[in-house]
Amino acid sequence: MLLKTFGWSFAITAAGLAAAGVLWGWKGLALVAILSVLEISLSFDNAVINAGILRKMNAFWQKMFLTLGILIAVFGMRLVFPVVIVAITAKLGPIDAIDVAINDHDRYEQLVTGAHPAIAAFGGMFLLMIFLDFIFEDRDIKWLGWLERPFARLGRVESLSVIVSLVVLIIAATTVATAVPVHGGSGTVDKASTVLLAGVGGLVTYLVVGGISAFFEDRLEDEEEDEESAAGKTSGASAAVGLAGKAAFFMFLYLEVIDASFSFDGVIGAFAITNDIFVMALGLGIGAMYIRSLTVFLVRKGTLDDYVYLEHGAHYAIGALALILLATIKYEINDVITGVVGVVLIGLAFWSSVRRNRKEAEAGPGSGDRQEVASGV
């Protein structure tokens, strides 16, 4: 199971490190290895979130996530996306932007880092919406019941997550975005309008992609329920098949946007290690491959069903990452802090899940429903 799921990741790691050693020597090999570890540590919560969505999809779309999805993640977000950012912010043509990325590493780093406020605002708002929609939903299983119960009651207010997100965006635009330090120089610059525009773009993207995928998912579930009723089948028989067609396609797009939002901090943080676009893409790409394999592993092992608070911990980590991204518009926050926050929250959620499972085992069969709230922390 382990080799089958992570086999490609192991093979790509070996090939990538060998290529780094041949092309850039021992220094390049070390940089690629460090970047891979950085990407894995920053995106572990991404794997948990992805697994929660991927388990709803059928086998075909799960394979698409590992094949086409990894191409988008590695070449699209880690190689092409930074060059596109350079082309847009510096108003360069595609050829000139590629030339800067390959031949002028210092300017390339300056241009990408200069676009960080817009990137952080877009990604921060998208991730914040994911967290708010989760925390405002009334769920049967609650981890931090003392916190989640009142938020679930507040969630009855229509569009509250959008309202809260816009308030957070306005606060960010009028505080951290008004005096952004100039990269590589002295003084500050006002990025309020840039942050507002990018933040609204992240919010709209979430509403469009998430809304369309939810629409098709709900419609598919309604059709399946009608078919089951007409055929006299037991409910849930088709749920194991997974989403397909338009529902799965838009869910796939939703997954890719989530991955993109998580990759923003990794791409920017990688400049603290190297400004060589190919070293960066190779290292981050290897890390992204492990996150994809881990996602599939969690789905196939049914880990989220066995450890029910993992999704809660991952969503809290997403909320923390969203706020950290917005704060980095003005303040420099070490990537180690971002990674540690995510690992600690997921670790606590895992520990709480283990305790819950032990209590259920001690209480005997049929005790899960009675302990679903009491077993939370």
Side-chain angles (χ1 to χ4, degrees):
M1 174 66 178
L2 187 66
L3 184 59
K4 181 179 179 181
T5 306
F6 287 89
W8 277 106
S9 296
F10 295 151
I12 289 175
T13 300
L17 291 177
V22 171
L23 294 173
W24 304 296
W26 287 106
K27 180 181 178 181
L29 188 151
L31 290 175
V32 168
I34 292 171
L35 286 169
S36 301
V37 174
L38 171 69
E39 179 69 8
I40 294 170
S41 64
L42 288 176
S43 300
F44 185 81
D45 45 356
N46 187 14
V48 179
I49 296 297
N50 286 352
I53 299 173
L54 193 65
R55 63 178 174 174
K56 301 177 183 179
M57 302 164 73
N58 66 12
F60 171 78
W61 284 101
Q62 289 182 7
K63 290 179 181 178
M64 289 292 288
F65 177 75
L66 266 182
T67 52
L68 178 61
I70 194 63
L71 290 176
I72 295 173
V74 175
F75 296 103
M77 291 309 304
R78 275 76 179 181
L79 188 62
V80 177
F81 172 75
V83 177
V84 172
I85 290 297
V86 166
I88 294 173
T89 56
K91 298 180 180 179
L92 298 174
I95 303 301
D96 292 332
I98 294 172
D99 181 66
V100 169
I102 296 175
N103 300 316
D104 195 344
H105 295 165
D106 291 336
R107 189 185 176 203
Y108 172 68
E109 177 183 355
Q110 183 178 0
L111 290 173
V112 174
T113 308
H116 177 64
I119 296 172
F122 182 96
M125 292 305 295
F126 189 92
L127 295 177
L128 183 61
M129 280 296 298
I130 294 176
F131 168 71
L132 291 175
D133 275 352
F134 179 86
I135 198 69
F136 284 141
E137 183 178 345
D138 189 7
R139 299 177 178 276
D140 294 332
I141 296 177
K142 295 178 176 62
W143 179 33
L144 306 178
W146 56 271
L147 178 65
E148 294 172 13
R149 279 190 290 270
F151 273 103
R153 288 194 291 270
L154 288 173
R156 298 170 187 169
V157 179
E158 188 175 356
S159 303
L160 183 60
S161 56
V162 176
I163 296 170
V164 173
S165 294
L166 288 174
V167 170
V168 171
L169 178 59
I170 292 172
I171 293 173
T174 54
T175 54
V176 294
T178 56
V180 179
V182 177
H183 178 71
S186 58
T188 60
V189 62
D190 190 339
K191 290 284 187 177
S193 59
T194 299
V195 167
L196 276 174
L197 183 61
V200 170
L203 178 61
V204 170
T205 301
Y206 174 84
L207 293 174
V208 171
V209 179
I212 292 175
S213 62
F215 168 77
F216 282 110
E217 182 180 359
D218 291 341
R219 194 173 74 172
L220 182 62
E221 289 176 356
D222 291 340
E223 291 175 356
E224 290 174 346
E225 288 176 3
D226 293 340
E227 291 175 0
E228 288 169 5
S229 299
K233 296 179 181 178
T234 57
S235 61
S238 61
V241 176
L243 295 178
K246 293 180 181 178
F249 172 72
F250 283 103
M251 193 70 75
F252 175 79
L253 290 183
Y254 181 57
L255 270 173
E256 292 306 315
V257 178
I258 290 176
D259 180 77
S261 299
F262 271 97
S263 70
F264 290 154
D265 59 333
V267 171
I268 298 298
F271 282 108
I273 299 171
T274 181
N275 56 13
D276 188 310
I277 184 174
F278 296 113
V279 173
M280 191 183 303
L282 183 56
L284 296 179
I286 291 174
M289 189 68 193
Y290 276 97
I291 295 302
R292 295 289 166 128
S293 297
L294 179 60
T295 298
V296 174
F297 179 80
L298 292 175
V299 172
R300 292 176 178 172
K301 290 288 287 184
T303 305
L304 300 186
D305 295 324
D306 295 334
Y307 303 97
V308 295
Y309 298 136
L310 276 180
E311 282 192 90
H312 294 72
H315 278 89
Y316 282 114
I318 280 181
L321 176 58
L323 295 179
I324 289 173
L325 273 175
L326 293 174
T328 58
I329 292 173
K330 181 176 182 178
Y331 304 104
E332 185 174 345
I333 300 178
N334 196 297
D335 287 329
V336 173
I337 296 175
T338 306
V340 167
V341 168
V343 170
V344 167
L345 286 169
I346 293 176
L348 288 173
F350 177 78
W351 174 69
S352 297
S353 299
V354 171
R355 287 182 57 204
R356 176 184 188 270
N357 293 344
R358 286 176 180 172
K359 289 180 180 179
E360 288 189 0
E362 292 171 359
S367 63
D369 293 339
R370 295 192 300 270
Q371 296 203 21
E372 53 88 6
V373 173
S375 59
V377 224

